[in-house]
Amino acid sequence: MAKPVSIEVYNPSGKYRVISTKPMPGTRWINLLIEQDCRVEICTQKKTILSVEDIIALIGDKCDGVIGQLTEDWGETLFSALSRAGGKAFSNMAVGYNNVDVNAATKYGVAVGNTPGVLTETTAELAASLSLAAARRIVEADEFMRAGLYDGWLPHLFVGNLLKGQTVGVIGAGRIGSAYARMMVEGFKMNLIYYDLYQSTRLEKFVTAYGQFLKANGEQPVTWKRASSMDEVLQEADLISLHPILDKTTYHLVNKERLSKMKKEAILINCSRGPVVDEVALVEHLKENPMFRVGLDVFEDEPYMKPGLADMKNAIVVPHIASASKWTREGMATLAALNVLGKIKGYPVWSDSNRVEPFLNENAPPPAASPSIVNGKALGLPVSKL
Ligand SMILES: NC(=O)c1ccc[n+]([C@@H]2O[C@H](COP(=O)([O-])OP(=O)(O)OC[C@H]3O[C@@H](n4cnc5c(N)ncnc54)[C@H](O)[C@@H]3O)[C@@H](O)[C@H]2O)c1
Ligand SMILES: O=C(O)[C@H](O)CO
């Protein structure tokens, strides 16, 4: 028997029991659920990652929906427990849902929500921050300064890479990859090469138009290229940022062989999911190529790092904080709560999960729809006409 988990309860007499496995930022998400007759139970257990047993104990005998986290293993066991408790809705508080077995959820008739859009720019900004920090060796220089080692300006002190005029490579030019590409092209006048299974016409048009603008102002125009293989990006780019989803096709997408194809002084950024990179091979590559630099927000076995990574001066490591801006995290909580609420209330699924702004407007009630349900089609859920 799992130990009872500590909870905080809002609106105890509410008709629908909705659980959040973690306290989430803001209060709007709680108020929106309460206004619609939900009893909201928030797990306050002092344990960062809840086990399957902890979550089964939270679900109990009656539960209408759960808001969960990307650190939790939402598979057959949890969806069958939720279904037995009468639950029909689950939402990750994340856009990525590689921790969720969507087929198992569908089998038990549980809708699975995620939180796209609201974190696009915030995540791209962290990727851009890591890019700059790696290019200009900011973390190394900061440590040097704090250690009292600075004894005067020197021509060779912390020389890094100039981004202007170099090539930025984006693997996975979806929402976040495209936003990052725009930041690096527009902000630093980098040329773009990208690889994705699909063409990113809007991104291509943007770079073309910006290139024309620069040319009209007598500046060197920026260019774009859609690569026909990922290797082409690895060989040509000076700075490469990874933004695909994690699935079978992207597991260890960057491995020993692919690392060896990159330029010796290249920079690699990963704000997608840790297992997209073979981290053991990466540590070896960093040791053998001191001018190669990496900026990592995600790790293969979170919360751990592979042996040796923490010792590498040419690696910048941050703890999965890419979506951590106040506005974004509050918005993620709102979208996750509305996904669950929408299914409980029998609302349709929002027709375009890339267009979530109407759900984030604090001055108006949200549309009567679930903002983003990934198995809506498989469950035959109606789609909103709005
Ligand atoms: N570090 C963080 O905190 C953080 C924050 C947000 C998102 N993420 C991760 O970023 C991912 C992307 O988010 P998004 O909103 O941009 O999703 P998205 O679906 O808009 O973009 C993903 C892109 O990857 C492409 N892709 C899929 N398989 C590929 C392959 N084999 N090779 C190349 N491209 C491939 C898709 O075609 C798509 O364009 C999420 O799934 C999540 O795992 C991480
Ligand atoms: O997938 C996601 O949303 C992130 O990893 C957390 O924001």
Side-chain angles (χ1 to χ4, degrees):
M1 258 306 260
K3 286 198 196 124
V5 266
S6 52
I7 52 166
E8 198 171 275
V9 182
Y10 292 81
N11 193 29
S13 59
K15 179 173 167 191
Y16 309 106
R17 182 167 176 257
V18 174
I19 289 164
S20 173
T21 62
K22 285 281 165 218
M24 299 190 292
T27 50
R28 184 168 180 246
W29 70 274
I30 300 173
N31 294 334
L32 288 167
L33 289 170
I34 289 173
E35 281 161 19
Q36 297 293 325
D37 210 6
C38 295
R39 169 190 165 104
V40 181
E41 295 188 18
I42 303 172
C43 177
T44 52
Q45 194 87 352
K46 294 261 171 290
K47 184 177 179 189
T48 304
I49 301 180
L50 295 185
S51 66
V52 165
E53 290 70 32
D54 293 330
I55 299 172
I56 288 176
L58 269 175
I59 290 172
D61 299 334
K62 185 209 175 274
C63 175
D64 296 284
V66 179
I67 302 164
Q69 300 296 325
L70 60 88
T71 46
E72 298 155 6
D73 180 9
W74 279 86
E76 177 81 28
T77 312
L78 285 183
F79 286 119
S80 67
L82 181 56
S83 167
R84 275 195 306 278
K88 290 274 178 280
F90 166 79
S91 183
N92 239 15
M93 184 208 170
V95 65
Y97 53 90
N98 51 286
N99 61 311
V100 182
D101 181 343
V102 179
N103 289 334
T106 306
K107 184 173 115 187
Y108 289 102
V110 177
V112 173
N114 71 338
T115 64
V118 68
L119 41 65
T120 299
E121 299 294 327
T122 299
T123 304
E125 283 181 13
L126 197 273
S129 309
L130 289 174
S131 304
L132 291 177
R136 300 305 301 274
R137 306 175 60 185
I138 290 175
V139 175
E140 278 177 85
D142 177 278
E143 282 171 1
F144 176 88
M145 196 75 197
R146 288 171 199 274
L149 297 172
Y150 182 51
D151 54 9
W153 190 91
L154 280 172
H156 286 294
L157 196 59
F158 291 109
V159 170
N161 303 7
L162 171 70
L163 297 180
K164 186 180 179 210
Q166 292 207 325
T167 299
V168 60
V170 172
I171 312 283
R175 287 174 292 247
I176 299 168
S178 292
Y180 168 83
R182 284 182 57 155
M183 285 174 194
M184 303 315 288
V185 168
E186 188 178 359
F188 304 100
K189 301 190 178 74
M190 298 188 81
N191 298 310
L192 171 69
I193 179 166
Y194 78 93
Y195 176 70
D196 198 296
L197 309 179
Y198 303 96
Q199 184 173 10
S200 188
T201 315
R202 281 175 68 182
L203 178 59
E204 292 172 4
K205 280 188 181 158
F206 171 81
V207 183
T208 303
Y210 186 51
Q212 284 163 353
F213 167 82
L214 290 173
K215 201 171 170 194
N217 283 282
E219 291 186 61
Q220 180 71 22
V222 288
T223 60
W224 63 265
K225 177 166 153 191
R226 181 182 175 200
S228 54
S229 71
M230 185 177 150
D231 290 359
E232 205 178 324
V233 177
L234 298 178
Q235 279 155 6
E236 288 187 25
D238 303 288
L239 162 66
I240 292 161
S241 197
L242 305 171
H243 297 284
I245 56 164
L246 171 62
D247 66 5
K248 285 198 287 273
T249 69
T250 60
Y251 175 80
H252 281 192
L253 198 62
V254 176
N255 55 19
K256 184 177 164 58
E257 190 199 339
R258 288 209 159 117
L259 284 164
S260 71
K261 295 190 168 151
M262 293 176 69
K263 295 181 182 177
K264 296 277 179 231
E265 297 191 4
I267 294 168
L268 177 68
I269 304 298
N270 189 10
C271 288
S272 60
R273 284 287 183 266
V276 171
V277 177
D278 177 345
E279 208 171 294
V280 169
L282 178 66
V283 173
E284 281 315 302
H285 192 77
L286 287 165
K287 281 183 189 159
E288 286 160 18
N289 299 278
M291 298 309 285
F292 182 91
R293 289 197 278 275
V294 69
L296 302 174
D297 179 53
V298 287
F299 304 88
E300 207 171 337
D301 307 316
E302 285 183 28
Y304 308 107
M305 284 186 277
K306 293 287 188 200
L309 182 58
D311 302 324
M312 301 310 304
K313 288 267 180 233
N314 46 349
I316 297 174
V317 288
V318 294
H320 205 148
I321 55 166
S323 66
S325 73
K326 182 174 181 290
W327 181 82
T328 286
R329 286 284 167 86
E330 290 185 3
M332 289 164 74
T334 296
L335 293 181
L338 291 175
N339 281 332
V340 168
L341 180 68
K343 182 64 170 55
I344 289 174
K345 301 284 285 184
Y347 296 159
V349 177
W350 191 239
S351 60
D352 181 0
S353 60
N354 288 322
R355 194 175 54 86
V356 290
E357 295 78 16
F359 296 93
L360 303 170
N361 179 358
E362 302 207 4
N363 301 315
S370 291
S372 179
I373 299 293
V374 300
N375 59 345
K377 219 180 202 169
L379 289 172
L381 301 180
V383 175
S384 164
K385 300 218 168 27
L386 291 169

